[in-house]
């Protein structure tokens, strides 16, 4: 099982924190990431990407089965970001390295070469992508194309729901047609967009016609 997923920058600031096992204390949401980053960041560049951490005693801090007491940290460093998974003995370390790669490739597809600012300003979408890969600590999907498709469908559904609930918004206009990666590939002609004033005018005209 996967018990936690973290993304840190090189300064140790968590840009994503997701626990799949309950914590015994709310304070551990900050202390556990600090301990893990200190351990991971101090390792040399050519060191192995997974390691056992008996000295951290994570089992006593997480509400998990004692039979799963062998916890392992699997991580990868991409430029200025550390991607870290905390897993138990039921998971393959090499499989987790591949899963981190799947996560990074999915983020790259969504944000066109993901960087730290994407994680800061689009944290909700980062969590949505992670949710398509891992649910309840179990691996749900590993196909990058399928993950991207499901995330895009969810994004379109949220945008349509917002537009339906907020008819005066411009979510269906030019800004709504912009991709999250910053590319404005708008397929709908500008003439088809309706401004809020135009919408109000049509509604008033319809009421007067009655």
């Amino acid at each position: 099982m996967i018990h936690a997923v973290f993304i840190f920058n090189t300064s140790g600031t968590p840009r994503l924190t997701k626990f799949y096992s309950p914590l015994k204390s709310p304070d551990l949401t900050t202390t556990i990431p600090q301990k893990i980053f200190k351990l991971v960041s101090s390792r040399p560049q050519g060191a192995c990407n997974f390691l056992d951490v008996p000295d951290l005693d994570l089992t006593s801090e997480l509400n998990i089965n004692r039979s799963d007491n062998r916890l392992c940290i699997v991580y990868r460093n991409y430029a200025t970001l550390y991607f870290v998974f905390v897993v138990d003995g039921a998971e393959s370390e090499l499989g987790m390295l591949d899963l981190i790669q799947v996560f990074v490739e999915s983020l790259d597809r969504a944000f066109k070469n993901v960087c730290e600012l994407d994680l800061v300003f689009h944290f909700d979408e980062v969590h949505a992508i992670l949710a398509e890969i891992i649910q309840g600590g179990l691996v749900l999907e590993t196909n990058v194309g399928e993950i991207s498709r499901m995330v895009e469908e969810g994004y379109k559904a949220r945008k349509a729901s917002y537009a339906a609930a907020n008819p005066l918004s411009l979510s269906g206009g030019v800004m709504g047609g912009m991709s999250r990666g910053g590319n404005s590939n708008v397929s709908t002609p500008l003439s088809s967009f309706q401004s809020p004033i135009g919408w109000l005018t049509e509604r008033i005209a319809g009421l007067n016609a009655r």
Side-chain angles (χ1 to χ4, degrees):
M1 178 179 173
I2 300 170
H3 294 281
V5 174
F6 306 105
I7 302 178
F8 303 99
N9 63 14
T10 52
S11 300
T13 303
R15 293 309 184 191
L16 180 141
T17 300
K18 179 67 176 179
F19 288 96
Y20 295 100
S21 294
L23 300 173
K24 294 185 177 180
S25 170
D27 296 336
L28 295 175
T29 57
T30 56
T31 58
I32 289 179
Q34 289 172 357
K35 291 179 181 178
I36 291 177
F37 176 76
K38 185 176 180 180
L39 184 66
V40 169
S41 62
S42 62
R43 291 173 64 79
Q45 189 69 28
C48 180
N49 289 92
F50 44 87
L51 63 154
D52 293 320
V53 284
D55 54 323
L56 291 184
D57 195 22
L58 293 179
T59 305
S60 65
E61 298 175 337
L62 298 170
N63 283 319
I64 62 176
N65 192 322
R66 295 299 298 182
S67 63
D68 297 330
N69 57 0
R70 177 187 170 268
L71 292 183
C72 177
I73 290 178
V74 182
Y75 73 96
R76 273 190 166 181
N77 177 217
Y78 296 86
T80 62
L81 296 172
Y82 286 91
F83 290 75
V84 183
F85 284 18
V86 179
V87 302
D88 59 33
E91 301 292 346
S92 164
E93 290 89 348
L94 293 177
M96 290 299 101
L97 282 177
D98 288 340
L99 193 63
I100 292 176
Q101 181 65 29
V102 168
F103 187 24
V104 173
E105 288 183 13
S106 300
L107 291 172
D108 276 340
R109 286 201 181 190
F111 299 113
K112 316 301 179 188
N113 296 322
V114 64
C115 67
E116 185 178 352
L117 289 178
D118 293 321
L119 306 183
V120 173
F121 293 109
H122 302 283
F123 64 91
D124 53 337
E125 295 184 35
V126 175
H127 279 275
I129 293 170
L130 181 61
E132 294 295 336
I133 302 172
I134 303 170
Q135 284 282 353
L138 302 176
V139 179
L140 186 66
E141 182 60 71
T142 59
N143 185 296
V144 176
E146 184 66 15
I147 293 167
S148 299
R149 185 182 69 82
M150 294 303 295
V151 169
E152 188 64 26
E153 287 183 2
Y155 172 74
K156 290 179 179 178
R158 292 194 301 273
K159 187 173 70 171
S161 176
Y162 178 80
N166 301 273
L168 294 182
S169 72
L170 292 175
S171 59
V174 177
M175 294 302 295
M178 293 183 65
S179 73
R180 291 152 293 160
N183 297 324
S184 54
N185 299 321
V186 184
S187 57
T188 308
L190 292 175
S191 60
S192 67
F193 295 136
Q194 186 180 42
S195 68
I197 298 299
W199 180 84
L200 279 174
T201 302
E202 286 188 4
R203 292 298 298 270
I204 295 172
L207 292 174
N208 291 335
R210 295 178 187 176

